[in-house]
Amino acid sequence: MFFDPSVVDTAGFILRQLASGALLTLEITLLAQVVVVVMSFIIALMRLSPWRGLRWIATVYVEILRGISALVLLFYLFFILPLFGIRLSPMTTGVIGLGLTFSAYGSEIVRSALTNVNRGQRDALRALDFDPVTAFRRIILPQALPFMLPPMGNQLVELLKTTSLVSLISLSDLTFSGAQLITTLGQQTLIWCIVLVCYFIMAWPLTWLVRRYERHVTAWREGSSS
Amino acid sequence: MPDLAHSPPGAPPQILLKQVVKRFGKTQVIDHLDLSIPQGQKVALIGPSGSGKSTVLRLIKGLESYQQGSIEVAGSPVPGLRSGWRWPWSKKPPVVHRVGMVFQQFNLFPHLTVQENITEAPLRVLKLTQEEAEERAYEYLGLVGLVHKAAAYPGQLSGGQQQRVAIARALAMRPQVMLFDEVTSALDPELVGEVLAVIRSIAHAQRTTLLLVTHEMNFAEEIADRVLFMEAGKILADGSAQEILVDPDNERTRRFLNRVERR
């Protein structure tokens, strides 16, 4: 059978392009997830605070960001902000845009997990004169984590897939690399199939990692009768 | 007369409530309540459900807000708490731990072992060393007879055992006042005895002021120096166990006791 060495070259080229795109996709996902976690906690605590002003700001934040399409937010940050003299790099735009969008949902996850820790626990903490920070870190958070991890894990996978939007603000992520390969090589069906598999391969270990961590933080439930 | 032997004459009361009013929305649950308890006194609080007994304990511990009046423990005012999901921004906890409280539902920390449940507050609040805290944990686990369960998680214990751990946890803070809020009401009948036995030994052995809300009339009669009968946010009768439980002259108290005993 005739063997064309250029096939190997082409395959190598495709792999290199997609690998560098995948790397960027992962990078954006992880950085945006940091924004998501930080903002989720800040907003959730604001929504649960006794101060009406803070609660109001947090509610407005959640409602607005939930109501805006992530893509439109990215376009706004990327194309409109510069008109006001604020120029963000595509990377920063992607991380902030996706981070903010997902934190609106994330803060609801965190909030419901925190309120799931029952009132009796807070009574006990007050009865023992814990200060709020210690109580939160040592008692409330460890009990709330098992409630927030599964939905947070789903959200992380969702975020990974949604990062494909950044290809539209000129970042060469996995989707962008795929599109570019098609421009140079054709082979539309083949390339999109590979990209699809690439996303799946990246999402799967994330799910696995979250599950592992979840088992770790719920270890105290093992062997308990209730 | 209530037994005031523990307290020197003229000493300030350990617990002092003056004209306290507490409302939940429009419902007034505590109605201009006055109460003074000297140090070391063992007081039982009885009355129908919804009469405000538990609220009195929660007010003394500072777990509730109140609208009028004043509350003092050992001469220091107890500020009322904001309502709502009061977390994590609430009022600063007191510098000195004075009041311990045990709840109907135990409220142990499910993700910590029995020993950690007890050492956590001494470590983090009183800033004891690990050894000191563990020593205390074993001391009070000994008192409640659960040293062998130190490494277990709360979910692995019976209700009675959990409640004994909760008592040990409260005692490990060496409070001057112990509040027991219907601590046997959530227990199966056969587990009530072991918890009462622990409270009995505390009542006999310690100089701690003790205030307990209970439906166990025999137990109240046995350990209390003084019994208060509450209804509709007011104290309707106040006297020795003999006066209130055995020979009540208050018509409502009598009716309440009849009802309880017929059950």
Side-chain angles (χ1 to χ4, degrees), chain B residues 165-200:
Chain B
V165 173
I167 293 172
R169 180 175 72 174
L171 287 175
M173 296 295 280
R174 305 252 163 96
Q176 299 164 9
V177 177
M178 275 290 279
L179 308 172
F180 292 92
D181 187 8
E182 301 198 29
V183 292
T184 57
S185 300
L187 297 178
D188 292 335
E190 75 268 23
L191 301 177
V192 168
E194 61 188 75
V195 173
L196 293 186
V198 168
I199 300 175
R200 191 178 289 126

Side-chain angles (χ1 to χ4, degrees), chain A residues 45 48-51 114-115 119-124 126-130 132 135 138-139 142-143 220 223 225, chain B residues 58 61-63 81-82 85 87-89 91 94 97 99 107-111 120-121 124-125 155-156 169 173:
Chain A
L45 290 175
L48 293 169
S49 88
W51 295 312
L114 289 178
T115 43
R119 176 181 139 123
Q121 293 288 306
R122 298 197 295 278
D123 279 350
R126 290 278 312 169
L128 293 164
D129 295 324
F130 275 93
R138 300 276 313 169
I139 307 295
Q143 292 184 63
W220 52 272
S225 57
Chain B
R58 294 178 63 85
K61 181 59 224 184
L63 299 179
L81 204 68
R82 289 166 188 273
W85 199 80
W87 203 265
W89 295 280
K91 293 233 167 56
H97 181 83
V99 183
N107 298 343
L108 293 178
F109 306 132
H111 61 304
E120 190 67 11
R124 315 271 160 196
V125 179
Q156 299 165 322
R169 180 175 72 174
M173 296 295 280

